[in-house]
Amino acid sequence: MSLTNKKIMCIVGARPNFIKIAPIMGALNGAVPLTLVHTGQHYDSAMQELFFQQLGIPKPDINLEVGSGNHGWQTGTIMQRFEPIIDENNPSLVLVVGDVNSTIACALVAAKKQIPVAHVEAGLRSFDRSMPEEINRVLTDQLSDFLFTTERSAKENLLQEGIEEKRIHFVGNVMIDSLQNHRLKAIPPIETLKNLNKKILLKELNKNYAVLTLHRPANVDNPLVLRDILLLVQSISEQIPIIFPLHPRTNAALKKNGLLEILEQSLNIIFTPPVGYLEMLGLMDRAKLVLTDSGGIQEETTALGVPCITLRDNTERPITVEEGTNTIVGTNPNQVMVAVHDVLATGGKTGCIPELWDGKAAFRIKEILLN
C-alpha cells in the first residue's frame, strides 16, 4: 500500500508520545497531508504547550480532552471520542507511537474501521504482563499493518507472536532523532534550577549530581514501596546530590501518603515540578548518573553515554543493557547501592550507540510509508 497523496492521522496522548511524534511529523510534513490528534491523556496544558513549543510540534488539529482516569475508563473514553473523528476525517492510515492507553485505544478503533495502523516502537517486550504498558504493546502490534522497530530483538518477539515478517521494519529510534535534533539546544541545569528558585552550589552541577525520575505504578502506588525507595534515595543523596523532577502521579502519591517530608528533610535532594524536554535533556546530559523507572530515559541515557540505573526488575529495551549504559537493579537497596558505588568509583558503563540510532529513523519511516 502506498500512501502517496493520502492522509495520515498521527496520535499523541502523553509526554513520551510528543518526543516520538515530533521527528515523524517533521519528516512527513509536505509529503502527505497530516492530521494531529491529541487524546488529552496527558492533561497538564502548560506542560503540553511547553513540549510542543520546544519540539516544534504544530498545535493539534483535534484534542479529545479525555484527561485522567483508570485504565478501563480512559481507554474506553478515548475510543468513544476517537471513532467519530475517524468517520469525519477518513484517514488513509493511523499512526500511533509507544505504549500508552491512547496507543491501543486509537489503534483498536482504526483496525475495526478497516483503516491501516502503523505502530512506531513495535515489538518491545518486558514479558511482564503486570505492566499495563505491556498489554498495550502486545495488542497494538497485533492490530498493526506497519510495525516499526527500534532494535533487532523486537523483530524476534513479533515473529514469535505470529506477526508476518513483511509487516516488520527495523528503522531505528525516533526518540534519538529528537535527542540529536535538540541536544545543542538543551538548557543547562543551573538555568533550570534558577528558573525554579532552587538553590544549589554551582560547583555541584559540574557533572557531580544524579537525576532521578519515578512514576511506574509498581514503584509509586504502594505507599510502603514508595517510602522505602525514598529512604534509599535519601541514602544515595548523602554521596551525590540528586535532582528529582516530580511526575504528577508521583507528586500526588507523595502528598496523599504524607511522604513529601522525606524529600523536604533531605538537603541533597532537589525536587522540582515537571520540567520541559529541553530542561530534562540538559539535566541528563550533564549528570554523573541517572536513576529511573522510565523506558524512554533508558534509551536517552544510552544515546548520551550517561550511566543509567533502572529501578525495575526488567526492561522492554534490552539493547540499553546489552550495548548501552543501562543496569537493571530493581529496588533492592543492596543492589542499588552496589550499582551507585560502581558508577561513583569507576564512572560506570560507557556502552555504545545501538544500530540505526543515528537520528534518521523518521526518514526511514517516511520512505516505507510513501513507498
Side-chain angles (χ1 to χ4, degrees):
M1 179 190 69
S2 172
L3 291 173
T4 305
N5 299 321
K6 301 296 180 68
K7 297 185 294 183
I8 296 179
M9 181 170 283
C10 300
I11 311 299
V12 294
R15 278 186 292 268
N17 295 167
F18 306 159
I19 301 169
K20 295 163 191 170
I21 208 68
I24 297 171
M25 294 197 69
L28 289 170
N29 185 38
V32 61
L34 299 173
T35 301
L36 180 60
V37 177
H38 183 13
T39 66
Q41 179 178 332
H42 170 206
Y43 51 92
D44 184 333
S45 58
M47 190 57 62
Q48 172 199 308
E49 290 177 9
L50 179 59
F51 266 70
F52 275 51
Q53 176 187 351
Q54 292 183 345
L55 290 164
I57 305 171
K59 182 179 179 180
D61 300 287
I62 300 163
N63 193 327
L64 303 183
E65 299 181 343
V66 170
S68 181
N70 63 41
H71 287 283
W73 179 90
Q74 191 175 66
T75 305
T77 304
I78 293 170
M79 292 178 66
Q80 287 181 328
R81 297 186 184 181
F82 184 56
E83 186 166 8
I85 301 301
I86 285 278
D87 292 338
E88 180 179 346
N89 289 269
N90 191 31
S92 307
L93 177 133
V94 169
L95 187 147
V96 297
V97 296
D99 53 21
V100 298
N101 289 338
S102 300
T103 306
I104 178 60
C106 293
L108 184 54
V109 171
K112 284 179 173 287
K113 292 285 187 178
Q114 302 297 302
I115 294 171
V117 175
H119 184 204
V120 176
E121 210 178 68
L124 297 179
R125 298 289 181 268
S126 67
F127 304 102
D128 180 0
R129 292 295 180 96
S130 70
M131 297 176 64
E133 297 89 350
E134 183 78 353
I135 305 299
N136 293 344
R137 295 179 200 117
V138 172
L139 295 181
T140 301
D141 287 339
Q142 288 294 327
L143 297 169
S144 297
D145 302 88
F146 296 88
L147 297 102
F148 296 115
T149 64
T150 60
E151 55 181 89
R152 290 196 181 275
S153 67
K155 179 179 180 179
E156 298 306 314
N157 296 334
L158 294 170
L159 292 175
Q160 290 179 13
E161 293 170 7
I163 304 294
E164 295 176 288
E165 186 170 5
K166 66 181 181 180
R167 292 157 57 190
I168 304 168
H169 307 274
F170 177 41
V171 296
N173 194 328
V174 292
M175 284 197 77
I176 309 309
D177 290 15
S178 281
L179 185 149
Q180 291 196 9
N181 290 340
H182 294 88
R183 189 173 184 178
L184 294 179
K185 304 174 188 175
I187 297 173
I190 187 60
E191 291 186 24
T192 298
L193 296 178
K194 278 183 177 178
N195 291 337
L196 294 170
N197 294 318
K198 297 291 180 178
K199 295 181 180 180
I200 184 171
L201 295 176
L202 295 183
K203 65 180 182 180
E204 293 178 337
L205 291 175
N206 186 23
K207 276 196 157 308
N208 189 37
Y209 67 91
V211 173
L212 168 68
T213 76
L214 205 63
H215 77 283
R216 294 282 176 183
N219 283 339
V220 304
D221 285 0
N222 184 322
L224 296 178
V225 172
L226 181 56
R227 180 179 180 274
D228 287 345
I229 292 175
L230 292 179
L231 293 176
L232 173 60
V233 170
Q234 190 177 53
S235 296
I236 296 171
S237 74
E238 295 172 0
Q239 302 177 52
I240 184 170
I242 296 175
I243 300 174
F244 184 12
L246 292 178
H247 188 281
R249 182 191 196 102
T250 308
N251 192 31
L254 291 171
K255 291 180 178 178
K256 177 182 177 181
N257 298 295
L259 295 173
L260 265 177
E261 64 180 24
I262 295 178
L263 298 181
E264 293 168 345
Q265 295 169 0
S266 303
L267 296 179
N268 279 342
I269 300 177
I270 303 95
F271 61 98
T272 76
V275 296
Y277 177 72
L278 295 181
E279 288 84 355
M280 191 64 190
L281 185 54
L283 288 175
M284 291 190 296
D285 197 14
R286 293 162 176 81
K288 196 176 189 88
L289 73 144
V290 173
L291 300 115
T292 190
D293 58 9
S294 162
I297 286 179
Q298 294 171 47
E299 294 178 327
E300 290 170 325
T301 48
T302 279
L304 293 170
V306 175
C308 178
I309 296 173
T310 296
L311 306 175
R312 287 168 46 187
D313 294 320
N314 52 54
T315 181
E316 64 283 351
R317 293 161 166 87
I319 201 166
T320 64
V321 177
E322 296 162 3
E323 298 184 15
T325 60
N326 188 21
T327 302
I328 306 296
V329 295
T331 56
N332 178 281
N334 291 332
Q335 292 178 330
V336 175
M337 293 306 293
V338 167
V340 170
H341 288 155
D342 177 63
V343 174
L344 297 182
T346 69
K349 296 172 69 173
T350 54
C352 64
I353 304 298
E355 184 182 6
L356 295 190
W357 289 24
D358 56 3
K360 301 176 182 177
F363 290 97
R364 296 187 187 99
I365 291 171
K366 170 187 175 180
E367 292 302 314
I368 292 166
L369 290 180
L370 299 184
N371 198 20

